[in-house]
Amino acid sequence: MTAAEAPYEIPADVSAALDPHERRLVLDRRGSTVWDVETERGRCAVKLGYPTAPHAWTALAPAREGVVLRQLGRGEVSYGDWEHGTWNVQPWHQGISLYDRWRPHRAEGASSEPGLADALSCARAVAALHATGWVHGDVQPAHLIIGAGGTALIDLALAHGGEVPAAYDFRYRGCLVHYESPEISRSVLETGAATPSTASDVYALGASLFISATGLRHVAYPDDASRAEQRQAIADGPHRPVEVPGVLGGLIEATLSPRPADRPTGAEVCAELSGGR
Ligand SMILES: Nc1ncnc2c1ncn2[C@@H]1O[C@H](COP(=O)(O)OP(=O)(O)OP(=O)(O)O)[C@@H](O)[C@H]1O
Ligand SMILES: [Mg+2]
């Protein structure tokens, strides 16, 4: 297998079962190809995982996510193996990501502040997952899809909270560093792995709200810094000053507390945001 073969087509047996009317390539990078597919039975996302040179686990991610989605009862979900790794099919969530939704507020000379309703909707998605006993492990603005009926927290490939068959499981080695909490960064630097928690999800929610509102990462580090240097900057702190006004700013500050125990819970974030409206 070489990266030159990607993007991969939907495997023949998966495609035969879906019988798509239409399909659109959403993304193809870092060991993952995602298709948006229209079928007789509705719209769905088809995710194909394959190994990359630095990461073998990306091949297992779709099946692992399929296991999690099934346990969470997230609609009609299927998963399995294909030539280069694993795949899943899951319901498509119509909406716009938090990052895209707040783009107008980041524009030069923007005159309005991001809405608390969007922040609350995202916080509710995180709190609702936590209420089931699961943690997400990869909260980021692209995984918060704001739709008409609320926010969907997608990409549960790294979630923890239930049993995952050994054949599809892999160690948690941190998330996208732009949303990683200091304790996760520290653990990944020291041991190569970490344990995601509700508190690290809350931190990632705060970093997601912060970057979506301002365009700034939670901690300042050069674009060309290595992953390890980025993690060291996060572990050392401090995080950037949060120059976001009002309730939202105060809340982001609290979620970015260096000590996990000092952060509000997802439910407390929701309470604060609904009280401040
Ligand atoms: N169920 C879904 N509903 C709506 N959009 C989805 C869904 N699944 C994936 N997407 C879209 O595809 C993108 C990539 O999906 P996802 O994050 O699950 O894959 P990934 O392989 O983890 O990619 P990345 O490496 O960027 O995290 C999402 O940001 C979103 O735009
Ligand atoms: Mg993702």
Side-chain angles (χ1 to χ4, degrees):
M1 202 279 306
T2 65
E5 289 176 58
Y8 290 108
E9 284 293 335
I10 299 171
D13 55 338
V14 180
S15 187
L18 285 175
D19 191 18
H21 303 323
E22 274 183 69
R23 65 188 194 19
R24 175 181 69 94
L25 182 66
V26 180
L27 67 77
D28 174 59
R29 63 178 182 215
R30 299 194 295 253
S32 170
T33 304
V34 180
W35 293 94
D36 168 8
V37 173
E38 293 279 1
T39 77
E40 188 71 32
R41 298 164 71 178
R43 190 173 176 185
C44 52
V46 179
K47 294 178 67 174
L48 310 175
Y50 53 93
T52 56
H55 302 296
W57 63 265
T58 50
L60 299 177
R64 191 180 190 286
E65 182 183 27
V67 168
V68 175
L69 292 171
R70 282 265 185 91
Q71 288 182 49
L72 288 169
R74 291 271 189 104
E76 207 170 307
V77 172
S78 51
Y79 59 89
D81 300 275
W82 68 293
E83 193 185 348
H84 297 298
T86 68
W87 56 269
N88 76 45
V89 179
Q90 58 179 284
W92 183 267
H93 297 281
Q94 192 90 40
I96 181 168
S97 76
L98 171 65
Y99 192 74
D100 288 343
R101 174 85 159 205
W102 283 5
R103 188 178 302 278
H105 306 295
R106 295 192 300 273
E108 191 95 15
S111 55
S112 60
E113 298 298 331
L116 290 189
D118 290 339
L120 175 59
S121 169
C122 292
R124 278 190 176 140
V126 174
L129 181 69
H130 290 174
T132 69
W134 285 80
V135 302
H136 187 277
D138 195 13
V139 174
Q140 50 174 279
H143 292 164
L144 291 158
I145 307 291
I146 303 174
T151 293
L153 179 52
I154 64 162
D155 195 357
L156 286 128
L158 305 184
H160 279 64
E163 291 296 317
V164 175
Y168 293 141
D169 208 5
F170 47 86
R171 292 209 303 167
Y172 182 76
R173 295 181 183 81
C175 58
L176 202 53
V177 287
H178 309 327
Y179 311 100
E180 204 165 85
S181 63
E183 71 277 11
I184 300 284
S185 287
R186 214 168 286 130
S187 174
V188 172
L189 285 173
E190 284 167 9
T191 71
T195 304
S197 65
T198 53
S200 63
D201 275 359
V202 165
Y203 187 99
L205 172 66
S208 298
L209 293 167
F210 186 36
I211 202 169
S212 300
T214 64
L216 297 171
R217 294 174 191 151
H218 60 131
V219 173
Y221 41 72
D223 283 341
D224 61 354
S226 69
R227 216 37 78 69
E229 287 165 342
Q230 294 178 4
R231 288 203 158 103
Q232 195 59 58
I234 294 167
D236 294 345
H239 68 74
R240 273 201 166 106
V242 179
E243 284 163 3
V244 176
V247 173
L248 185 61
L251 205 60
I252 293 172
E253 182 75 48
T255 59
L256 297 184
S257 296
R259 273 167 34 95
D262 292 343
R263 292 172 208 149
T265 63
E268 286 165 353
V269 172
C270 292
E272 177 76 13
L273 282 168
S274 36
R277 272 163 96 190

